[in-house]
Amino acid sequence: MTLAEGAQLVTFAVLSLMAIGFALGVVWAPSIVYSGFLLGGVFLSMAGLYLLLNADFVAAAQVLIYVGAVNVLILFAIMLVNRRYNFAPLKLGWLRNGVTAVVCLGLFALLAAMAFDTPWELQPIQSLSSVLVMGGHFFSDYLLPFELASVLLLMALIGAIVLARREFALPQMGEGDLSLLERARPQIESGSESEPELVSTR
C-alpha cells in the first residue's frame, strides 16, 4: 500500500465515522435544533466522501444545495416554530421502539447483503474533472432535456413572483410620511366585490 492509498483509506474511515456519528447525533440529540445542526455535519461528511470518489461536481452540489439551502431552511423552520410541548407517555411505547429497531436492523442487513453480494467493478480514477464531462454531455447528448429543465425552472420562478407580488397604491403623502399603502387581497370566502381596503406597510 502506497502513502497515497493509506491517506485515502484513513480519510475514508474518518469521514465514514463522522457521518455515522453525526447521524446518530441527529436521532439522539435532546433538542431538535441540535439535530438540525448535526444534520449539516452529515451532509458535509457525505460531500467529503464524494470528493474521495472524484465526483467534485456532486460534492459541490451537496454543499450548495443540501448544506446551504435544505439544512438552512430546516433550521429556519425549526426556529420559527420552536414550541415546546409536554407529550404524554405512549402506551406500549417499548413495543413500538422494538418494532422500529427490528425494521431498521432488517433494512441495514438487507443493504449490507446487497453491498457484499454485488460484483463491484473497480476502475482507475480518471484525471478528467467530472464538471467538464457533465458540461459536455449537457450541451451535446442531453441538450433538449437540459433546455426543457431550464424552461420549467423559469416558469416556476415567474409563478412564484406572481404569487408573492404585492400591489401598492400611492397615497396623498404629506410632509415626512414615507409609507406606502398595500392593497389587501380580497378574501375568497366572502365573495364580495367591494373595493379592498388599504393597509399601511410601515
Side-chain angles (χ1 to χ4, degrees), residues 60-102:
Q62 174 81 9
V63 173
L64 291 176
I65 297 175
Y66 285 93
V67 179
V70 176
N71 195 24
V72 172
L73 180 63
I74 291 174
L75 288 174
F76 268 106
I78 291 173
M79 292 183 179
L80 286 176
V81 293
N82 190 17
R83 303 180 62 181
R84 296 182 179 275
Y85 296 96
N86 294 323
F87 295 101
L90 297 174
K91 296 181 180 178
L92 300 178
W94 60 272
L95 181 59
R96 299 184 182 188
N97 294 334
V99 172
T100 304
V102 170

Coordinates of all heavy atoms in Angstrom, one line a residue, residues 60-102:
A60 N -19.8 19.5 -4.7 CA -20.2 20.9 -4.7 C -21.7 21.1 -4.6 O -22.2 22.0 -3.9 CB -19.6 21.7 -5.9
A61 N -22.4 20.3 -5.4 CA -23.9 20.3 -5.3 C -24.4 19.9 -3.9 O -25.4 20.5 -3.4 CB -24.5 19.5 -6.4
Q62 N -23.7 19.0 -3.3 CA -24.1 18.5 -2.0 C -24.0 19.7 -1.0 O -24.9 19.9 -0.1 CB -23.2 17.4 -1.5 CG -23.4 16.9 -0.1 CD -24.6 16.0 0.0 OE1 -25.2 15.6 -0.9 NE2 -24.9 15.7 1.3
V63 N -22.9 20.4 -1.1 CA -22.6 21.5 -0.1 C -23.6 22.7 -0.4 O -24.2 23.2 0.5 CB -21.2 22.0 -0.2 CG1 -21.0 23.2 0.6 CG2 -20.2 20.9 0.3
L64 N -23.8 23.0 -1.7 CA -24.6 24.2 -2.0 C -26.1 23.9 -1.8 O -26.8 24.8 -1.2 CB -24.4 24.6 -3.5 CG -23.0 25.1 -3.8 CD1 -22.9 25.4 -5.3 CD2 -22.7 26.4 -3.1
I65 N -26.5 22.8 -2.2 CA -28.0 22.5 -2.1 C -28.4 22.0 -0.7 O -29.3 22.6 -0.1 CB -28.4 21.5 -3.2 CG1 -28.1 22.1 -4.6 CG2 -29.9 21.1 -3.1 CD1 -28.4 21.1 -5.7
Y66 N -27.7 20.9 -0.3 CA -28.2 20.3 1.0 C -27.7 21.1 2.2 O -28.5 21.3 3.2 CB -27.7 18.9 1.1 CG -28.5 18.0 0.2 CD1 -28.0 17.7 -1.1 CD2 -29.6 17.4 0.6 CE1 -28.8 16.9 -1.9 CE2 -30.4 16.6 -0.2 CZ -29.9 16.3 -1.5 OH -30.7 15.5 -2.3
V67 N -26.5 21.6 2.2 CA -26.0 22.4 3.4 C -26.5 23.8 3.3 O -27.0 24.4 4.3 CB -24.5 22.3 3.5 CG1 -24.0 23.1 4.7 CG2 -24.0 20.8 3.6
G68 N -26.3 24.4 2.1 CA -26.6 25.8 2.0 C -28.1 26.1 1.9 O -28.5 27.3 2.1
A69 N -28.9 25.2 1.4 CA -30.3 25.5 1.2 C -31.2 24.7 2.1 O -32.0 25.2 2.9 CB -30.6 25.3 -0.3
V70 N -31.1 23.3 1.9 CA -32.0 22.5 2.6 C -31.8 22.5 4.1 O -32.8 22.7 4.9 CB -31.9 21.0 2.1 CG1 -32.8 20.1 2.9 CG2 -32.2 20.9 0.6
N71 N -30.6 22.5 4.6 CA -30.3 22.5 6.0 C -30.6 23.8 6.6 O -31.2 23.9 7.7 CB -28.8 22.1 6.3 CG -28.6 21.8 7.7 OD1 -29.5 21.4 8.4 ND2 -27.3 21.9 8.2
V72 N -30.3 24.9 5.9 CA -30.6 26.2 6.4 C -32.1 26.4 6.5 O -32.7 27.0 7.5 CB -30.0 27.3 5.5 CG1 -30.4 28.7 5.9 CG2 -28.4 27.2 5.7
L73 N -32.8 25.9 5.5 CA -34.3 26.0 5.5 C -34.9 25.2 6.7 O -35.8 25.7 7.3 CB -34.9 25.5 4.2 CG -36.4 25.5 4.0 CD1 -36.9 27.0 4.1 CD2 -36.8 24.9 2.7
I74 N -34.3 24.0 6.9 CA -34.8 23.2 8.1 C -34.6 24.0 9.4 O -35.5 24.0 10.3 CB -34.1 21.9 8.1 CG1 -34.6 21.0 6.9 CG2 -34.4 21.1 9.4 CD1 -33.9 19.7 6.7
L75 N -33.4 24.6 9.5 CA -33.1 25.3 10.8 C -34.0 26.5 10.9 O -34.5 26.8 12.0 CB -31.6 25.8 10.8 CG -30.6 24.6 11.0 CD1 -29.2 25.2 10.8 CD2 -30.8 24.0 12.4
F76 N -34.3 27.3 9.8 CA -35.2 28.4 9.9 C -36.6 27.9 10.3 O -37.3 28.5 11.2 CB -35.3 29.1 8.5 CG -34.3 30.2 8.4 CD1 -33.2 30.1 7.6 CD2 -34.5 31.4 9.1 CE1 -32.3 31.1 7.5 CE2 -33.6 32.5 8.9 CZ -32.5 32.3 8.2
A77 N -37.1 26.8 9.7 CA -38.4 26.3 10.1 C -38.4 25.9 11.5 O -39.4 26.1 12.2 CB -38.7 25.1 9.2
I78 N -37.4 25.2 12.0 CA -37.4 24.8 13.4 C -37.4 26.0 14.4 O -38.1 26.0 15.3 CB -36.1 23.9 13.7 CG1 -36.3 22.6 12.9 CG2 -35.9 23.7 15.2 CD1 -35.0 21.8 13.0
M79 N -36.6 27.0 14.1 CA -36.5 28.2 15.0 C -37.7 29.0 14.9 O -38.1 29.7 15.9 CB -35.3 29.0 14.6 CG -34.0 28.3 14.9 SD -32.5 29.2 14.6 CE -31.2 28.1 15.1
L80 N -38.4 29.0 13.8 CA -39.7 29.8 13.7 C -40.8 29.2 14.4 O -41.7 29.9 14.9 CB -40.0 30.0 12.2 CG -39.2 31.0 11.4 CD1 -39.6 31.1 10.0 CD2 -39.3 32.4 12.0
V81 N -40.8 27.9 14.5 CA -41.9 27.2 15.2 C -41.4 26.4 16.3 O -41.9 25.3 16.6 CB -42.7 26.3 14.2 CG1 -43.4 27.1 13.2 CG2 -41.8 25.3 13.5
N82 N -40.4 26.9 17.0 CA -39.8 26.2 18.1 C -40.6 26.4 19.4 O -40.5 27.2 20.2 CB -38.4 26.8 18.4 CG -37.6 26.0 19.4 OD1 -38.0 24.8 19.6 ND2 -36.6 26.5 19.9
R83 N -41.6 25.5 19.5 CA -42.5 25.5 20.6 C -42.4 24.2 21.3 O -42.2 23.1 20.7 CB -44.0 25.7 20.2 CG -44.2 26.9 19.4 CD -45.6 27.1 18.9 NE -46.5 27.2 20.1 CZ -47.8 27.3 20.0 NH1 -48.4 27.3 18.8 NH2 -48.6 27.3 21.0
R84 N -42.4 24.2 22.6 CA -42.2 23.0 23.5 C -43.6 22.5 24.0 O -44.4 23.3 24.4 CB -41.3 23.3 24.7 CG -39.9 23.7 24.3 CD -39.1 24.0 25.5 NE -37.7 24.3 25.1 CZ -36.7 23.4 24.9 NH1 -37.0 22.1 25.0 NH2 -35.5 23.8 24.5
Y85 N -43.8 21.2 23.8 CA -45.0 20.6 24.3 C -44.6 19.5 25.3 O -43.5 18.9 25.2 CB -45.7 19.9 23.1 CG -46.2 20.9 22.1 CD1 -45.5 21.2 21.0 CD2 -47.5 21.6 22.3 CE1 -46.0 22.1 20.1 CE2 -47.9 22.5 21.4 CZ -47.2 22.8 20.3 OH -47.7 23.7 19.4
N86 N -45.5 19.3 26.2 CA -45.3 18.2 27.2 C -46.2 17.0 26.7 O -47.4 17.0 26.9 CB -45.7 18.6 28.6 CG -44.8 19.7 29.1 OD1 -43.6 19.7 28.9 ND2 -45.4 20.7 29.8
F87 N -45.5 16.1 26.1 CA -46.2 14.9 25.5 C -46.5 13.9 26.6 O -45.6 13.6 27.4 CB -45.4 14.3 24.3 CG -45.3 15.2 23.2 CD1 -44.1 15.9 23.0 CD2 -46.3 15.4 22.3 CE1 -43.9 16.7 21.9 CE2 -46.2 16.2 21.2 CZ -45.0 16.9 21.0
A88 N -47.6 13.3 26.5 CA -47.9 12.2 27.4 C -47.2 10.9 27.0 O -47.1 10.7 25.8 CB -49.4 12.0 27.5
P89 N -46.8 10.1 28.0 CA -46.1 8.9 27.6 C -47.1 7.9 26.8 O -48.2 7.8 27.1 CB -45.7 8.3 28.9 CG -46.6 8.9 29.9 CD -46.9 10.3 29.4
L90 N -46.5 7.3 25.8 CA -47.3 6.4 24.9 C -47.5 5.1 25.6 O -46.7 4.6 26.3 CB -46.7 6.2 23.6 CG -46.5 7.5 22.7 CD1 -45.7 7.1 21.5 CD2 -47.8 8.0 22.3
K91 N -48.7 4.5 25.4 CA -48.9 3.2 25.9 C -48.2 2.2 25.0 O -48.2 2.3 23.8 CB -50.4 2.9 25.8 CG -51.2 3.7 26.8 CD -52.7 3.4 26.7 CE -53.5 4.3 27.7 NZ -55.0 3.9 27.7
L92 N -47.6 1.2 25.6 CA -46.8 0.2 24.9 C -45.7 0.8 24.0 O -45.5 0.4 22.9 CB -47.7 -0.7 24.0 CG -48.8 -1.5 24.8 CD1 -49.7 -2.3 23.8 CD2 -48.2 -2.4 25.8
G93 N -45.1 1.8 24.6 CA -44.0 2.5 23.9 C -42.8 1.6 23.6 O -42.2 1.7 22.6
W94 N -42.5 0.7 24.5 CA -41.4 -0.2 24.4 C -41.6 -1.1 23.2 O -40.7 -1.5 22.5 CB -41.2 -1.0 25.6 CG -42.4 -1.8 26.0 CD1 -43.4 -1.4 26.8 CD2 -42.6 -3.2 25.6 NE1 -44.3 -2.4 26.9 CE2 -43.9 -3.5 26.2 CE3 -42.0 -4.1 24.8 CZ2 -44.4 -4.8 26.0 CZ3 -42.5 -5.3 24.7 CH2 -43.7 -5.7 25.2
L95 N -42.9 -1.5 22.9 CA -43.2 -2.4 21.8 C -43.0 -1.6 20.5 O -42.4 -2.2 19.5 CB -44.7 -2.8 21.9 CG -45.1 -3.8 20.8 CD1 -44.3 -5.1 20.8 CD2 -46.6 -4.2 21.0
R96 N -43.4 -0.4 20.4 CA -43.1 0.4 19.2 C -41.6 0.6 19.0 O -41.2 0.5 17.8 CB -43.8 1.8 19.3 CG -45.3 1.7 19.5 CD -45.9 3.0 19.5 NE -47.4 2.9 19.7 CZ -48.2 4.0 19.6 NH1 -47.7 5.2 19.3 NH2 -49.5 3.8 19.7
N97 N -40.9 0.9 20.0 CA -39.4 1.0 19.9 C -38.8 -0.3 19.4 O -37.9 -0.3 18.6 CB -38.8 1.4 21.2 CG -39.2 2.8 21.6 OD1 -39.6 3.7 20.7 ND2 -39.2 3.1 22.9
G98 N -39.3 -1.4 19.9 CA -38.8 -2.7 19.5 C -39.1 -3.0 18.0 O -38.2 -3.5 17.3
V99 N -40.3 -2.7 17.6 CA -40.6 -2.9 16.2 C -39.8 -2.0 15.3 O -39.3 -2.5 14.2 CB -42.1 -2.7 16.0 CG1 -42.5 -2.7 14.5 CG2 -42.9 -3.7 16.7
T100 N -39.6 -0.8 15.7 CA -38.8 0.1 14.9 C -37.4 -0.4 14.8 O -36.7 -0.3 13.7 CB -38.8 1.5 15.6 OG1 -40.2 2.0 15.7 CG2 -38.0 2.5 14.7
A101 N -36.8 -0.8 15.9 CA -35.4 -1.4 15.9 C -35.3 -2.6 15.0 O -34.3 -2.7 14.2 CB -35.0 -1.7 17.3
V102 N -36.3 -3.5 15.0 CA -36.2 -4.7 14.2 C -36.3 -4.3 12.7 O -35.6 -4.8 11.8 CB -37.4 -5.6 14.5 CG1 -37.5 -6.7 13.5 CG2 -37.2 -6.2 15.9

